[in-house]
Amino acid sequence: MPHALAIATTFSDLWNPNGLWIVLTACATNCACALVGCYLVLRRMSLMGDALSHAVLPGLAVAFIFSGAYDIGPLMIGAVAAGLLSTFLIQTLHQYARVPSDASMGVVFTGLFALGVVLIKKGIPPGVHFDMACVYQGTLDYTPLYTVELLGREVPRAFAITGGVFLLNVAVVSALWKELKLSAFDPALATTMGFSATLLHYLLMALVAVTAVASFEAVGSILVVAMLIIPPATAHLLADRLASMMFISLLVAIAAAILGYILSTVFDTNIAGMITVAAAGLFGLAVLFAPQHGVVSALARNLGVSLRVVREDLLAMLYRVEELGSPRRLAAAEAQAAVGGGWLARLSLSNLLRDGRIARSGDRLDLTPAGREAARQLVRSHRLWETYLVKNLGLPLDHVHEPAHRIEHFIGDDIREQLQQELDATATDPHGREIPE
Amino acid sequence: MTGLSLSDKVTIGAALLGGAAGVAGTFAVLRRRSLVGDMLAHASLPGVCIAFAITGSRDLLGLSIGALVSGLLAIGLMTLVVRWTRTKEDAAIGIMLSGFFGLGIVLLSVVTRSSLGGGSAGLSSYIFGEPGNMVDSDLYTLVGVGLGVLLLVLLFYKEFKLVSFDHEFAKSQGWPTLALDLAMMTAVALVTIIGLPIVGVILMAAMIILPGATARMWTNRFNVLLILAGVIGATTGAVGVRFSSGLPTGPTIVLTGAALFVASILFAPEQGVVARVWNETRLRFRVAREHLLRSLYELNEPNFPRLAPTTFQQLLAHRYAQPWMLRWLVDQSENRGLVAVRGDQVTLTPLGFRRAAEATRTHRMWEIYMMEFAGSAPDHVDRSADAVEHLLPESLLLELEARLAREGRLPAIATEVPASPHDLASEGNSS
Amino acid sequence: MPSSIALEIHDMTVAYHRRPVLWDVDLQVPEGKLVGVIGPNGAGKTTLIKAVLGLVPLASGKVEIYGQPYQDQRHLVGYVPQRESVDWDFPVTVRDVVLMGTYGRLGWFRRPRRPERELAEACLEQVGMASFARRQIRQLSGGQQQRVFLARALAEQAQVYFLDEPFAGVDAATESAIVDLLQSMRSAGKTVFVVHHDLQTVREYFDWVILLNMRLVACGAVGDTFTPENMQKTYGGRLTILDEAAEAMRNREPVR
């Protein structure tokens, strides 16, 4: 496939009105979903999003059959009714019939979905269009074809609907910001404060149902489920406050829409599917590279700590050798082997040499003045700690080296100061060695 | 080759699928992993598309291998994400489910568009389920998988039972729980993937969950549970197919299963809702009736051996009840010949007196037990646990009786009618 | 007229799935006491608190705070749940959590404003956590998390507090800090109920105890109530029979 050419055409596509409307509709949908999805993910109810977006089908079918048209009003009512009913059924089955909560979710949504399929097959007269496939993958490509008038402009129907639901979600979330936050974090406390967690739960589920239905027509159920879960989960890896989590999840939702649209144009495939893949890709990036919670950054942090520990062990060891007073000094290979060897030790040593903490002359390692100072602080921490363990906790002598060896790397100036005060300026450690100043 | 008609083949296929899914799914239900089946079903789509692109045929076996690979990949990624990040299991399941499925939709549109053309039309049956395409080789695959799952369960019966009952304990006993979990999930994955062409992606979750959850209502025993789940699953499959003329097959099978489930929830003998409500109501009435008898006894106690009529006002003042409830209880007791009612006045009959004495005796012994042996304050002892006396050891009963007699509080009749504590209860139960 | 009985429980029975876990609890606690709720595992200590707070339904009985039903006195009651009961990965900062304490008085829709923020700040100060205000809550130690919960409770400005195992998993320094705080709350006329495990410290920490073992064993001033006999009744004796009785109730039939 001539990719370069395809990408070149993509940008002109994005500028044409149809492409723009498709992206805007996808953005509106994604944002509407991501907003309520944040609460689902935080309440560990992500799969309620999956369940509800399937369970509303019979509500849709009934509304469709009774109203005989594709009107958004009855569809919404049907969806909310079905959403609340399935929420109720899931809870009741779990509470009163003691079905495990995940099984009760699975039973209810598949059952209702099957009912919906049968209702559609039986209840809708032939000739009326109700395509099952679009329930999955949506018809994003066709959204610009069906328009309504809004504020004197022709806009795609799907955009008007999903945009409206997005605004509704924004309105509810900002009006009930503190209530929703509290009941998601600590439902028991919310209930004792008079904000019924149950009521808020049903409200949230109604919102999810409305959002799912509004989005169905345009993007299909698969994208709804994806957008309810993936942007919030991604944002959760990146944010430490609810407001920023929501903001980031909206950004992820928009980025996924744009990226997915571009990719789908490049590869000429299903748009909703590609947006989902893009969102999953963004989640994957966050899993790997999130600054605090990412896998790579965690590995880097661990590596950093290990390196520091080995470096400090090297310094302390050289200090102790000096302390013995003999003119002998360690060779590089000896020193590396003594701190565990391997590439960590080699890397640490070369770091120290580069930083000017250790000087090498021939095959002999010497502490530089800077290195000696750093090493003295370490050895001081070590011996203060040993003293503390023996004096204040009464540990036997032969049990204090190991813990002190582990903790010496993490004792800062202030703890050292505290230890110093508690120990009343002891000059020697329990082994009788001098505690360096 | 098999010489069976298509509808027979579909029926047998659905029954096999239902049985295998029931057995394998029971473990998923017990391990609280019901929705992993749902995830597997969705996550298999990219594998199906890729396998189709490679082999170029719709052969069930080839596609299933592709599905299995991508399903297991999804499980693996999910486990890693949960272990490495702060993302919780539910979100991880949802992400893998939708992400893989989205990828599947993308690949599907690529495969459908490409030169393979018409042959790929059947691939969408993986989403919606289209058992009408079933051929002999599909049936053989189903038989193979069904037997494989059964064999797996038979081989690891004890281990699976342990792991699904108490994961932590199994771990502490040194069982390789991770491997066993994986084996259980592989069984679920196998069944799920084989079932996709019959019931479709979404409804496959129902095939996994429904039989196990239904069977759970009927039994507390593990081996019975497994067998029952298999039978229920097979029945659901076969019956669902038979019902499905003119209706989509997958949904009909699921609705059949759901109907069985609802019926079990309602009518199962012990755990069913109806049975529980019935038992609770019966217990409440029995307690209320005994309260009435005790009130009558206690109100008459100062005048023994004379039995004077008691008014409703007195009864209400003695122990509060809803007036209509009291009225109803009195009427009921009259029908049983325990009391005689004249206008506003209630009198114990001789039979009623004996029952009342027994109820009072029971209650007083319980009170004493609570005060003496459990150290509760006298006016706070339990007022509803009348049946509890049957729990006390015989020696303790005698001791309590002696005490009551010493204090002159032992209901007179009870000394004549030797304690047969079971009479009262069995009478209450036999109604 | 305000009653000086902070908490009155009348004939309360609580059942989970018809299995009674608390039988006929009946007690009164006067205002201004620091109350230890003591009993072995599974004695229903947490259940008692949850039932008082309306978080689990009562099978029978009633609860009064200062002489009025709990539902009408919610604003007087503060609650500190067990530390494990919340998700510490939740994206909130320490300050956010403390601010949540003010939500109850705000009621529906009203947002916390400057006075609430200042109150939250002051409460953080009081538990010595002010310098951690901007941390995400996962980045705290167990003891620090518990202090944040206490600050939140302070921000509730309640009269009666219920603390579920505030000393679980905290270091000795935090424990004594918490005790100091509780005692200053008592001096301010608050009544504080604390689910507690460590029998060694009961006399030192509390001036009132509730001894529970599926039923009320005793309730009263520490000196009179925290006696060896009562402890024997709470922790030993023939109480397994209550377990069996509860089982029988659950199965709705007498055991035979």
Side-chain angles (χ1 to χ4, degrees), chain C residues 20-65:
Chain C
V21 287
L22 277 178
W23 305 68
D24 282 308
V25 174
D26 196 291
L27 56 86
Q28 290 187 341
V29 176
E31 184 179 35
K33 300 289 181 206
L34 190 44
V35 188
V37 181
I38 319 283
N41 280 333
K45 301 184 295 292
T46 297
T47 306
L48 179 79
I49 286 188
K50 287 193 167 169
V52 167
L53 295 171
L55 295 173
V56 296
L58 306 186
S60 69
K62 63 178 179 183
V63 175
E64 286 182 352
I65 306 285

Side-chain angles (χ1 to χ4, degrees), chain A residues 57-136:
Chain A
L57 193 64
L60 290 188
V62 169
F64 194 71
I65 291 166
F66 275 102
S67 70
Y70 213 61
D71 267 341
I72 194 69
L75 286 188
M76 283 293 173
I77 295 171
V80 171
L84 293 181
L85 174 73
S86 46
T87 309
F88 171 77
L89 285 178
I90 289 169
Q91 285 224 314
T92 309
L93 275 185
H94 176 52
Q95 242 163 28
Y96 294 99
R98 289 178 231 158
V99 180
S101 58
D102 59 333
S104 116
M105 209 185 277
V107 164
V108 169
F109 94 78
T110 52
L112 286 177
F113 187 81
L115 185 67
V117 173
V118 170
L119 280 176
I120 287 169
K121 198 87 171 182
K122 283 274 125 178
I124 293 179
V128 177
H129 180 72
F130 200 114
D131 185 3
M132 278 301 298
C134 90
V135 170
Y136 282 93

Side-chain angles (χ1 to χ4, degrees), chain B residues 26-180:
Chain B
T26 302
F27 294 110
V29 172
L30 289 177
R31 280 290 279 130
R32 306 281 192 270
R33 294 239 171 105
S34 302
L35 294 171
V36 171
D38 193 30
M39 180 185 81
L40 278 168
H42 283 84
S44 62
L45 191 60
V48 169
C49 294
I50 292 173
F52 178 74
I54 294 172
T55 64
S57 87
R58 257 192 0 89
D59 175 55
L60 184 62
L61 192 62
L63 297 190
S64 298
I65 291 172
L68 190 62
V69 170
S70 72
L72 292 179
L73 185 66
I75 289 200
L77 282 179
M78 180 203 87
T79 317
L80 289 182
V81 164
V82 170
R83 180 164 301 177
W84 282 348
T85 72
R86 76 207 294 205
T87 303
K88 308 288 186 285
E89 187 174 72
D90 62 318
I93 292 179
I95 290 165
M96 295 309 154
L97 181 157
S98 55
F100 271 73
F101 194 67
L103 183 64
I105 297 271
V106 167
L107 291 176
L108 189 64
S109 69
V110 173
V111 173
T112 314
R113 202 161 21 79
S114 67
S115 57
L116 297 154
S120 67
L123 279 192
S124 67
S125 76
Y126 265 81
I127 302 184
F128 300 108
E130 203 54 70
N133 306 338
M134 192 178 276
V135 293
D136 286 348
S137 66
D138 297 350
L139 200 55
Y140 295 142
T141 312
L142 269 172
V143 174
V145 169
L147 288 179
V149 168
L150 272 185
L151 194 69
L152 196 66
V153 171
L154 283 179
L155 272 177
F156 292 105
Y157 175 75
K158 173 175 98 263
E159 289 80 3
F160 282 0
K161 181 175 172 177
L162 191 64
V163 171
S164 46
F165 172 65
D166 189 343
H167 188 256
E168 292 307 310
F169 176 75
K171 204 173 192 168
S172 74
Q173 295 283 298
W175 291 102
T177 51
L178 194 67
L180 287 170

Side-chain angles (χ1 to χ4, degrees), chain A residues 55-350:
Chain A
V56 292
L57 193 64
L60 290 188
V62 169
F64 194 71
I65 291 166
F66 275 102
S67 70
Y70 213 61
D71 267 341
I72 194 69
L75 286 188
M76 283 293 173
I77 295 171
V80 171
L84 293 181
L85 174 73
S86 46
T87 309
F88 171 77
L89 285 178
I90 289 169
Q91 285 224 314
T92 309
L93 275 185
H94 176 52
Q95 242 163 28
Y96 294 99
R98 289 178 231 158
V99 180
S101 58
D102 59 333
S104 116
M105 209 185 277
V107 164
V108 169
F109 94 78
T110 52
L112 286 177
F113 187 81
L115 185 67
V117 173
V118 170
L119 280 176
I120 287 169
K121 198 87 171 182
K122 283 274 125 178
I124 293 179
V128 177
H129 180 72
F130 200 114
D131 185 3
M132 278 301 298
C134 90
V135 170
Y136 282 93
Q137 32 188 312
T139 51
L140 209 43
D141 337 26
Y142 304 135
T143 44
L145 300 183
Y146 308 95
T147 58
V148 290
E149 185 138 315
L150 192 75
L151 303 173
R153 284 197 54 161
E154 289 272 300
V155 301
R157 208 178 95 97
F159 175 73
I161 294 172
T162 52
V165 169
F166 173 60
L167 292 181
L168 171 75
N169 288 351
V170 170
V172 174
V173 165
S174 44
L176 291 172
W177 175 258
K178 79 172 195 302
E179 289 81 358
L180 286 169
K181 175 158 114 179
L182 178 60
S183 83
F185 178 61
D186 193 341
L189 185 74
T191 304
T192 65
M193 284 182 166
F195 309 112
S196 159
T198 317
L199 184 67
L200 287 165
H201 177 62
Y202 275 88
L203 178 75
L204 188 63
M205 292 306 138
L207 269 194
V208 172
V210 166
T211 309
V213 170
S215 318
F216 262 169
E217 186 191 359
V219 302
S221 71
I222 185 57
L223 190 56
V224 173
V225 176
M227 286 304 142
L228 282 171
I229 304 173
I230 301 181
T234 311
H236 192 205
L237 296 175
L238 297 167
D240 274 345
R241 301 200 57 179
L242 184 56
S244 45
M245 172 173 165
M246 280 199 173
F247 184 68
I248 294 176
S249 78
L250 293 183
L251 289 186
V252 172
I254 292 171
I258 297 174
L259 205 60
Y261 177 68
I262 295 175
L263 289 175
S264 74
T265 317
V266 172
F267 294 106
D268 187 20
T269 80
N270 181 282
I271 304 176
M274 213 62 202
I275 293 178
T276 308
V277 172
L282 290 174
F283 174 76
L285 285 181
V287 164
L288 292 178
F289 302 112
Q292 279 236 310
H293 308 288
V295 172
V296 171
S297 36
L299 285 179
R301 257 200 315 279
N302 286 345
L303 182 66
V305 172
S306 317
L307 265 179
R308 187 164 66 85
V309 166
V310 174
R311 268 202 314 263
E312 294 181 350
D313 284 349
L314 270 172
L315 284 177
M317 188 172 58
L318 293 181
Y319 183 89
R320 291 194 175 98
V321 170
E322 273 187 10
E323 209 181 29
L324 291 176
S326 94
R328 195 178 117 65
R329 292 290 178 266
L330 290 178
E334 275 179 293
Q336 283 174 22
V339 293
W343 61 273
L344 261 179
R346 223 168 321 145
L347 192 59
S348 306
L349 182 59
S350 68

Side-chain angles (χ1 to χ4, degrees), chain B residues 86 88 276 279-280 282-283 369 373-376 380-383 385 388 390-392 396 425 429, chain C residues 11 18 23-24 26 87 89 136 215-217 233 238-239 241-242 244-245 248-249 252-256:
Chain B
R86 76 207 294 205
K88 308 288 186 285
R276 291 222 310 266
N279 281 331
E280 275 168 33
R282 220 180 48 180
L283 178 76
Y369 169 74
F373 297 89
S376 206
H380 299 152
V381 290
D382 183 69
R383 290 190 185 84
V388 169
H390 304 289
L391 295 166
L392 302 184
L396 187 56
N429 292 337
Chain C
D11 277 353
R18 281 200 58 80
W23 305 68
D24 282 308
D26 196 291
D87 174 10
D89 279 333
Q136 198 270 337
R215 71 204 152 82
L216 184 68
V217 176
K233 279 180 191 160
R238 300 200 204 176
L239 284 166
I241 200 105
L242 274 179
E244 286 175 40
M249 292 286 283
R252 282 159 241 99
E253 301 298 342
V255 173
R256 47 197 60 203

